[in-house]
Amino acid sequence: MTARILNGQELAQQIQAEIRDEVIEFIENNSVTPCLAAVLVGENPASEVYVRNKRRACEATGIDSQLHRLPATAATDDLLELVKTLNKDDAVHGILVQLPLPPQIVEARVLQAVNPRKDVDVFHPENVGRLMQGRPRFLPCTPQAVQELLIRSGIDTRGQHVVVVGRSDIVGKPLAVMLMQRGPGADATVTVCHSRTRNLAEMTRQADILVAAIGQPKFITAEMVRPGAVVIDVGINRIETGLVGDVDFESVKEIASAITPVPRGVGPLTVTMLLKNTLAAARDGAL
Ligand code: L34
């Protein structure tokens, strides 16, 4: 058996077409264009690609985008000042501070400085707290991408055992919280594994749905996957041969029932969820 390939790129295009219609209607009704301000510090090549993809997607859906660049040598206060300006600007509905930031910048201070109503990444403690309480203002982009992919691919999560490998604040942790919540695309039994987990393969083999968000190229091999499991690869690793995920796609696709590729899997959906959140942020301000 070879797995069904879950094409995130195709889904992303479909969802972007829906968002585009909503944006047009929003502009008609409010005479306001939703606007995302991206902040890029330094010249990390991967960040350049991601931010470019985000701005292109804005353009494709009728959302305005701004790009604010700071040098790699910028201080925390420089970034705080920029964030403050964007907070005050009524034309800006969503603020995205692309991570990672250079080491001299105190990330937590910057993320806390973003107006929670413009925090389309869900990094502000208020929004993280709201997510934990099951009353989110926005859903974080990559976890939401995974959830949306599962829902739109007709993969039921209710009562299923989801094993998330990775405990980051950007993917693993919030995704685990979302999947254990009540409701569609959730109601799952969730296990979170990480680098300190004993007998990791034994754990991952228990998964009905296995999510890899570790940041290690081809880390998940066929022996770690139960035959028939759904495998979602959140990893994006640049190696000599190109872009690969956290899953050894070639071997795992022979054993899984469904699998996301890298590229064109979760990545394009992450970008799309950012657009959705930006429109929601604009709606919030226009009410
Ligand atoms: N603040 N920082 C903030 N928010 C985020 O949500 C992110 N992330 C991660 C890095 N830093 C962030 C992203 O947006 C990773 N990420 C992201 C964005 C876009 C893509 C992948 C990850 C993407 O477009 N992936 C394409 C291929 C891109 C390529 O060629 O490198 C894909 O098909 O997977």
Side-chain angles (χ1 to χ4, degrees):
M1 183 184 66
T2 180
R4 170 182 168 207
I5 311 295
L6 305 171
N7 188 330
Q9 174 111 303
E10 219 171 83
L11 265 180
Q13 273 162 10
Q14 186 186 316
I15 299 169
Q16 285 184 25
E18 296 168 14
I19 293 172
R20 189 168 190 279
D21 290 343
E22 288 181 53
V23 169
I24 290 168
E25 195 185 337
F26 178 86
I27 295 170
E28 273 176 16
N29 293 339
N30 300 282
S31 306
V32 169
T33 304
C35 176
L36 174 72
V39 177
L40 196 47
V41 185
E43 284 161 20
N44 180 318
S47 296
E48 298 277 348
V49 172
Y50 302 153
V51 169
R52 195 197 315 135
N53 289 351
K54 289 172 183 186
R55 299 190 71 214
R56 278 195 188 141
C58 280
E59 206 173 299
T61 51
I63 294 174
D64 276 346
S65 78
Q66 306 177 349
L67 176 58
H68 300 268
R69 286 181 177 273
L70 288 178
T73 54
T76 303
D77 283 340
D78 299 328
L79 199 43
L80 288 175
E81 196 180 316
L82 173 57
V83 167
K84 216 186 266 177
T85 306
L86 297 172
N87 282 343
K88 274 191 278 193
D89 187 344
D90 289 338
V92 170
H93 304 101
I95 300 173
L96 158 84
V97 180
Q98 187 69 20
L99 302 181
L101 292 168
Q104 78 277 11
I105 290 181
V106 186
E107 187 182 289
R109 285 188 65 205
V110 175
L111 301 182
Q112 280 185 50
V114 173
N115 178 346
R117 293 187 174 277
K118 300 187 178 188
D119 175 34
V120 286
D121 262 326
V122 195
F123 291 154
H124 191 287
E126 179 184 317
N127 289 334
V128 177
R130 290 183 60 131
L131 180 70
M132 279 291 283
Q133 293 180 333
R135 47 184 202 99
R137 176 177 275 132
F138 310 108
L139 293 173
C141 297
T142 304
Q144 190 183 356
V146 172
Q147 191 173 48
E148 196 73 33
L149 178 88
L150 291 169
I151 293 172
R152 292 198 183 228
S153 304
I155 295 162
D156 200 6
T157 51
R158 189 170 167 190
Q160 296 291 95
H161 187 196
V162 181
V163 175
V164 178
V165 189
R167 55 175 156 178
S168 68
D169 289 329
I170 184 165
V171 186
K173 217 187 281 178
L175 177 61
V177 169
M178 282 167 59
L179 292 172
M180 72 169 91
Q181 226 80 265
R182 294 172 195 274
D187 282 320
T189 303
V190 181
T191 300
V192 180
C193 300
H194 48 76
S195 52
R196 301 288 180 195
T197 297
R198 254 188 287 134
N199 301 327
L200 179 63
E202 215 169 279
M203 305 295 290
T204 57
R205 284 184 67 91
Q206 304 300 313
D208 299 310
I209 300 170
L210 180 60
V211 182
I214 316 140
Q216 301 276 346
K218 303 187 187 186
F219 184 88
I220 302 290
T221 53
E223 309 79 62
M224 300 170 80
V225 179
R226 188 178 58 73
V230 171
V231 179
I232 308 294
D233 191 351
V234 180
I236 305 239
N237 307 285
R238 289 180 156 68
I239 62 171
E240 307 88 73
T241 53
L243 217 55
V244 298
D246 291 349
V247 175
D248 181 23
F249 183 84
E250 286 309 317
S251 71
V252 173
K253 80 174 196 311
E254 300 302 327
I255 186 162
S257 62
I259 186 170
T260 61
V262 175
R264 294 180 289 281
V266 174
L269 285 164
T270 294
V271 172
T272 305
M273 296 306 120
L274 181 67
L275 307 175
K276 200 169 159 189
N277 286 350
T278 302
L279 174 59
R283 283 220 165 91
D284 185 46
L287 286 179

